Amino acid sequence: MGIVVQKYGGSSVADAAGIKRVAQRIVATKKAGNDVVVVVSAMGDTTDELIDLANEVSPLPPARELDMLLTAGERISMAVLAMAIQNLGQEARSFTGSQAGVITDAEHGRAKIIDVTPGRIQAALADGAVAIVAGFQGVSQTTKDITTLGRGGSDTTAVALAVAIDAEVCEIYSDVDGIFTADPRVEPRARKVPRISYEETLEMAAQGAKILHLRCVEYARRYDMPIHVRSSFSQKEGTWVVRAEDVSAGGAQGTEEAGSTMEAAIITGVAHDSSQAKITIVGVPDKPGEAAAIFRTVADAQINIDMIVQNISAAATGRTDISFTLPRGEGQTAMAALAGMQDQVGYESLQYDDSVGKVSVVGAGMSTSPGISARFFEALSEAGVNIQMISTSEIRVSVVVTEAQVVQAVNAAHAVFDLGSDEIEAVVYGGTGR
Ligand code: ASP
Ligand code: MG
């Protein structure tokens, strides 16, 4: 008998029927002899609808009030889920993030968890109750205000709680059966990955794969908390996110089936992100301090940039071009900040392209296996996809391409590395894709 943390995403609790289905699953886990802590997201698209509502009354909703508003979404699902569980004869108690002891810094909209003091959760478990915790929220230690962890943050709540109460596993339920070799919405032949390392999952998540909240994977890796990603709509075995050495070993938590299929995979998956933008600063004087000034300005505008490419300067002019990518939603802010420093830097002009995307192949095996980039680029070339920028890490190769060719690029990479399955494995059970 151990503690299991289960996190249910918005599409799993989208309506009353979904909540009843999830309640049954929770009660079954409890009946099997586990202590169960549940983390819930807001029902369906509630968070987006609340943001729309805020924008209707204010062009720039104050961050403190926006957080207060958004946490209401998770409060609805936690209370309704507790009712559904009690209706099945099982004791259940819901807790806000603050009541559950999720302590954060004071950064509204992107707060970081700095401590978890789960006394009330442990007391509920000791009483034989299922504890239900509102995801993606906490309370600031300094201001005592309610905070949110950023979109998709309930995954992080779940892993942080699992670590704090020493759970055996953190199960994350969504509307697909696990982590796939590519997003099943654009690659119908995507195959479920039975086991994947924290590092590969981090790369996939950072490169746009909508599998897990990035910080949740960082947290799980730091404390070695196994994550089991699965669907609340099926009983299928999902994907285990574990330490690299446990991936091929078929480790403690894995199934036989999982352990045997994973050996020798060099590429684990293809991630994509269709919502990028690219800024090029043309004619930057090639002298010390220019890049520093440019990226300090971008950083001070709180913009997270991604890939950076700088060319060697043309001998005749002593000037160079610098390009970088960033989330499309932040493109205009970055352009405004850079325009304001033209005189200081003395660059010639700015170019903005808001229709680019990024496609990445990820796999721990590539660090010891030559020729991965060549095969990837050949496949893109055969598919007629033009590469605009390239970047690599030890276990990843990423390219920036025009947005219109992102899906073609994913399909080409998936095929060249033989990632596809013969039958259709991937079922998308729910969600509006919002
Ligand atoms: N409800 C929040 C969101 O939609 C948090 C979450 O789902 O994890 O972003
Ligand atoms: Mg959501």
Side-chain angles (χ1 to χ4, degrees), residues 9-10 41-42 44 47-48 74 151-152:
S41 290
T47 307
D48 294 286
E74 270 70 12
R151 297 306 308 270

Side-chain angles (χ1 to χ4, degrees), residues 227-309:
I227 301 177
H228 190 186
V229 183
R230 46 197 313 201
S231 166
S232 71
F233 296 80
S234 84
Q235 295 294 334
K236 290 186 192 153
E237 175 80 10
T239 298
W240 285 89
V241 184
V242 292
R243 292 183 308 174
E245 50 268 47
D246 293 337
V247 170
S248 46
Q253 263 93 8
T255 60
E256 296 275 317
E257 168 227 5
S260 56
T261 48
M262 273 313 285
E263 57 196 334
I266 292 169
I267 299 302
T268 305
V270 183
H272 76 278
D273 180 349
S274 308
S275 61
Q276 295 257 299
K278 184 176 77 174
I279 293 178
T280 303
I281 308 142
V282 181
V284 179
D286 190 6
K287 60 180 198 314
E290 298 295 295
I294 287 167
F295 289 103
R296 167 52 54 203
T297 300
V298 175
D300 287 348
Q302 300 295 328
I303 288 162
N304 244 323
I305 56 155
D306 186 18
M307 242 183 246
I308 304 176
V309 170

Side-chain angles (χ1 to χ4, degrees), residues 30-44:
K30 173 75 183 154
K31 287 223 169 93
N34 303 285
D35 279 340
V36 188
V37 176
V38 177
V39 173
V40 268
S41 290
M43 295 171 68

Side-chain angles (χ1 to χ4, degrees), residues 18-323:
I19 288 182
K20 285 163 126 174
R21 194 189 65 242
V22 163
Q24 266 164 358
R25 203 165 183 133
I26 293 165
V27 171
T29 311
K30 173 75 183 154
K31 287 223 169 93
N34 303 285
D35 279 340
V36 188
V37 176
V38 177
V39 173
V40 268
S41 290
M43 295 171 68
D45 291 334
T46 301
T47 307
D48 294 286
E49 287 156 13
L50 292 173
I51 292 172
D52 291 348
L53 174 63
N55 288 330
E56 272 176 50
V57 298
S58 162
L60 204 70
R64 179 188 184 277
E65 303 309 327
L66 189 60
D67 272 0
M68 197 63 107
L69 175 70
L70 296 190
T71 55
E74 270 70 12
R75 288 188 181 214
I76 294 171
S77 28
M78 74 180 193
V80 179
L81 181 57
M83 293 173 193
I85 294 174
Q86 295 199 36
N87 188 50
L88 298 174
Q90 166 63 49
E91 177 68 21
R93 275 178 224 162
S94 65
F95 298 93
T96 64
S98 163
Q99 289 176 315
V102 180
I103 315 288
T104 70
D105 62 20
E107 290 288 322
H108 286 292
R110 49 158 180 247
K112 288 212 169 57
I113 297 177
I114 50 186
D115 195 12
V116 182
T117 50
R120 297 196 66 187
I121 304 302
Q122 283 155 330
L125 296 181
D127 289 347
V130 168
I132 304 180
V133 178
F136 137 91
Q137 56 181 273
V139 62
S140 155
Q141 195 166 43
T142 47
T143 64
K144 309 290 177 214
D145 281 329
I146 298 299
T147 54
T148 66
L149 310 181
R151 297 306 308 270
S154 300
D155 293 350
T156 302
T157 304
V159 171
L161 266 174
V163 169
I165 59 180
D166 202 16
E168 279 180 4
V169 56
C170 183
E171 299 181 337
I172 303 226
Y173 288 89
S174 73
D175 50 12
V176 288
D177 283 315
I179 297 178
F180 284 80
T181 49
D183 183 344
R185 292 171 178 87
V186 308
E187 176 49 73
R189 295 182 64 230
R191 195 166 40 77
K192 192 171 71 198
V193 181
R195 302 169 71 76
I196 182 171
S197 67
Y198 295 123
E199 290 75 18
E200 289 167 311
T201 312
L202 275 175
E203 289 276 14
M204 295 278 286
Q207 298 312 316
K210 294 176 192 65
I211 35 181
L212 290 171
H213 197 230
L214 189 57
R215 269 159 48 207
C216 128
V217 189
E218 285 167 352
Y219 214 104
R221 175 171 67 161
R222 185 162 349 123
Y223 296 99
D224 192 13
M225 173 56 61
I227 301 177
H228 190 186
V229 183
R230 46 197 313 201
S231 166
S232 71
F233 296 80
S234 84
Q235 295 294 334
K236 290 186 192 153
E237 175 80 10
T239 298
W240 285 89
V241 184
V242 292
R243 292 183 308 174
E245 50 268 47
D246 293 337
V247 170
S248 46
Q253 263 93 8
T255 60
E256 296 275 317
E257 168 227 5
S260 56
T261 48
M262 273 313 285
E263 57 196 334
I266 292 169
I267 299 302
T268 305
V270 183
H272 76 278
D273 180 349
S274 308
S275 61
Q276 295 257 299
K278 184 176 77 174
I279 293 178
T280 303
I281 308 142
V282 181
V284 179
D286 190 6
K287 60 180 198 314
E290 298 295 295
I294 287 167
F295 289 103
R296 167 52 54 203
T297 300
V298 175
D300 287 348
Q302 300 295 328
I303 288 162
N304 244 323
I305 56 155
D306 186 18
M307 242 183 246
I308 304 176
V309 170
Q310 175 179 330
N311 276 319
I312 55 163
S313 57
T317 61
R319 287 173 182 268
T320 182
D321 298 342
I322 298 177
S323 298

